[in-house]
Amino acid sequence: MTIPENHPQGTQLLKLEILIVGAGIAGLTAAACCLEKGFNVTVLEYAPQFAHVGAGLMISCNASRVLVDLGLQAALDEVGTHMKRTLFVKHDSGQSISETSYAGVEEELGAPLYQIHRADLHDVLLAKAKSLGVKLIMGAVVTEFNDAGPSVKLVDGTVYCADVVVAADGYRSRARGQLLAGNSEPRFSGNAAYRGLVPRNLIEGDAELEALMDVKDQPGSHVWVGAGRHVLCYGIRQGEFLNFVATQPAVHTSGSVYTAKVSTQEVLDSYRGWDPLMLRVISNIPEGSILEWKLCDIAPMDTWLLPGEKVVLIGDAAHAMLPSAAQGAGMGIEDGAALAEILSRARDYSEIPHCLKAFERLRLPRCTQVVDTGRQNAKKWHAKGCCQASKF
C-alpha cells in the first residue's frame, strides 16, 4: 500500500490514541511530533522520577532539523554549543593528525550541529511535550506488550490500551525481548567508556585546558587516538563543563554489569604514557564521579513490529548503536518524526498496520547502516596509526 501524501479534501485526520513506553530522547520526540499532528499521547516511564544521567552527545543536522521544526532552536541554543570542528591528535604527543572543519555546514544543510548534555536535550523535549498536552505517567513498569489490542500491562496489573503502542524502552527493551522470544540481549562490543565531567572552576588559570572548553571561537571535539582506544573531550553547557569520554577494553563491565564506578587514579593508570594535557583533564575529574559504561549495540533485526503490527519499536529498543556512530540520539529523533508523519497519513484505523510497515521499510535499512558505521568507525579509530573522522 502507498501512503497518500495528503488527506483527500473533506476527509478528517484520525484522532489516534498513541501510547509510548519510555520517556527518553526517542520517546519524547515521538510524543511531541505526534501531539503536533493532533494525536492524543500517553507516555509511560519506568522511573519514578527523571535523573540527569549521561553526559555530552552530538546532534547533527539530520536530527536537529526535526528539533528546529518543533520550535526548539532557541531553547537548544541556550544550552547547546554549535560545533565547528573535530581535531584528531596522537595519543602520546598531542601532535595533530587531522582536522575536520564543519564551517559552513549549518548554512549548507539548514540546521544546527550541536554538542549538548543529554540531560539538557531531555529537559527541552520534556518541556515541549508537556506544553503540547502529553499525559505522562511516572513509575509505570511495563511487564507485557499485547500486540492484538494493542495494549500494555503494568506490574500492578493495570492495562493501557491505544490505537498504536510505541516501544521506546531503551537498549534493554522488554518489547524487543518479547518480539525475539527472550533472545534480546544487546551485542557487547568488548569495549567500555569512562565518562566524566570537569567543572570549569577546577581548571581556571590553566590556559591549555581552558582552550579545550572553547565554545566561542573554535568549539568542537578534541580526540586522542591510540591503538585499541581513544579519548574525546569537548565543552558543554556553554563552557560550564568539559565532557570526557575514553573508550577502551572493558574492565569492570561484563555479563549483567552495565555500569561501574571507577577511581580517577585507575583511569590515570590506564592511560599512563599518553599526552600530559589529556592526563591533566583526567586529574581534574572529581573523585567518585567517573563511571565505566559497557558499550553495546543491537544486532540488525528483520522487523521492528510485533506480529499484530500495531506495536512498533523505535530508538535504542530497535537499533542501539555504539557512540562511534555519533548518531544514537539522532536516529531516535528521526524515528519520532517519521513515525508521526506516516501515521498522520492514515485515513482509516485499518491502515495503521500499513503505516507501521511503511515506517519500518523507511527506517530499518537506514538505521542498520548507521549501526554498522558505528562499528566500522571504532575499528578505524583504534587501528594503530589510522584516524578518520565520521561524516555528518
Side-chain angles (χ1 to χ4, degrees):
M1 171 187 171
T2 300
I3 303 300
E5 292 187 5
N6 303 103
H7 290 278
Q9 191 169 5
T11 62
Q12 187 174 3
L13 175 72
L14 293 179
K15 192 74 171 180
L16 296 178
E17 297 289 336
I18 309 294
L19 180 64
I20 300 174
V21 179
I25 303 302
L28 289 177
T29 302
C33 291
C34 286
L35 287 161
E36 289 260 297
K37 294 296 185 183
F39 303 147
N40 295 322
V41 179
T42 299
V43 177
L44 305 179
E45 169 53 38
Y46 175 94
Q49 60 185 20
F50 292 117
H52 276 196
V53 296
L57 50 82
M58 194 192 80
I59 301 297
S60 51
C61 304
N62 56 298
S64 68
R65 182 176 290 108
V66 173
L67 304 177
V68 170
D69 287 346
L70 283 169
L72 300 179
Q73 182 162 0
L76 292 170
D77 284 346
E78 289 184 3
V79 293
T81 300
H82 290 258
M83 185 177 178
K84 298 299 182 186
R85 65 171 183 167
T86 298
L87 179 64
F88 288 84
V89 302
K90 291 184 177 179
H91 76 283
D92 50 357
S93 65
Q95 180 182 351
S96 176
I97 300 173
S98 67
E99 178 176 341
T100 300
S101 172
Y102 307 118
V105 167
E106 294 190 2
E107 292 75 15
E108 179 183 351
L109 299 181
L113 178 58
Y114 286 119
Q115 287 175 317
I116 191 169
H117 195 292
R118 182 193 178 279
D120 293 334
L121 174 59
H122 188 270
D123 284 347
V124 169
L125 285 168
L126 179 61
K128 179 65 176 181
K130 286 182 174 180
S131 75
L132 293 170
V134 69
K135 182 179 180 182
L136 177 63
I137 301 173
M138 303 296 293
V141 181
V142 174
T143 59
E144 182 180 339
F145 290 80
N146 178 354
D147 54 299
S151 64
V152 302
K153 185 177 181 180
L154 305 190
V155 68
D156 64 4
T158 303
V159 174
Y160 287 90
C161 301
D163 297 312
V164 178
V165 173
V166 181
D169 53 341
Y171 72 107
R172 303 188 72 187
S173 166
R174 181 173 291 274
R176 188 178 70 253
Q178 190 170 321
L179 176 61
L180 299 179
N183 185 25
S184 65
E185 278 300 300
R187 186 170 57 174
F188 182 35
S189 69
N191 289 330
Y194 296 141
R195 300 181 188 272
L197 297 173
V198 181
R200 172 173 282 280
N201 66 294
L202 295 184
I203 62 173
E204 287 179 347
D206 187 325
E208 288 184 304
L209 289 184
E210 286 184 327
L212 295 179
M213 299 180 73
D214 176 21
V215 295
K216 293 182 180 179
D217 297 326
Q218 282 294 322
S221 299
H222 203 95
V223 187
W224 290 264
V225 182
R229 55 184 61 203
H230 70 274
V231 176
L232 170 69
C233 287
Y234 56 86
I236 58 173
R237 288 189 168 171
Q238 299 299 318
E240 182 181 350
F241 292 98
L242 181 64
N243 185 58
F244 169 87
V245 184
T247 300
Q248 62 285 306
V251 177
H252 301 286
T253 49
S254 61
S256 61
V257 178
Y258 281 79
T259 61
K261 280 196 172 184
V262 182
S263 71
T264 301
Q265 188 59 52
E266 181 176 346
V267 180
L268 283 169
D269 291 343
S270 176
Y271 282 88
R272 185 180 292 115
W274 281 52
D275 183 5
L277 175 63
M278 191 272 285
L279 297 179
R280 294 211 306 276
V281 172
I282 299 173
S283 298
N284 281 283
I285 301 174
E287 186 60 59
S289 67
I290 301 177
L291 288 177
E292 178 181 314
W293 291 75
K294 186 178 183 179
L295 296 183
C296 304
D297 62 9
I298 298 295
M301 299 169 63
D302 294 328
T303 181
W304 295 347
L305 302 178
L306 269 65
E309 297 180 341
K310 292 183 180 179
V311 179
V312 61
L313 278 65
I314 69 168
D316 284 352
H319 49 71
M321 56 194 65
L322 298 177
S324 47
Q327 283 287 347
M331 290 298 101
I333 290 169
E334 283 190 6
D335 284 348
L339 181 64
E341 179 62 34
I342 292 174
L343 285 173
S344 74
R345 301 183 183 195
R347 293 169 293 179
D348 186 84
Y349 292 97
S350 65
E351 294 183 354
I352 289 173
H354 298 292
C355 289
L356 294 184
K357 287 183 73 67
F359 167 79
E360 180 183 74
R361 287 196 300 270
L362 176 71
R363 298 294 303 153
L364 195 152
R366 172 168 170 76
C367 293
T368 298
Q369 182 181 33
V370 177
V371 169
D372 182 65
T373 297
R375 288 225 154 203
Q376 297 306 316
N377 281 346
K379 291 177 182 178
K380 285 191 293 185
W381 294 355
H382 290 182
K384 190 169 185 179
C386 179
C387 178
Q388 294 185 21
S390 298
K391 301 301 181 184
F392 302 113

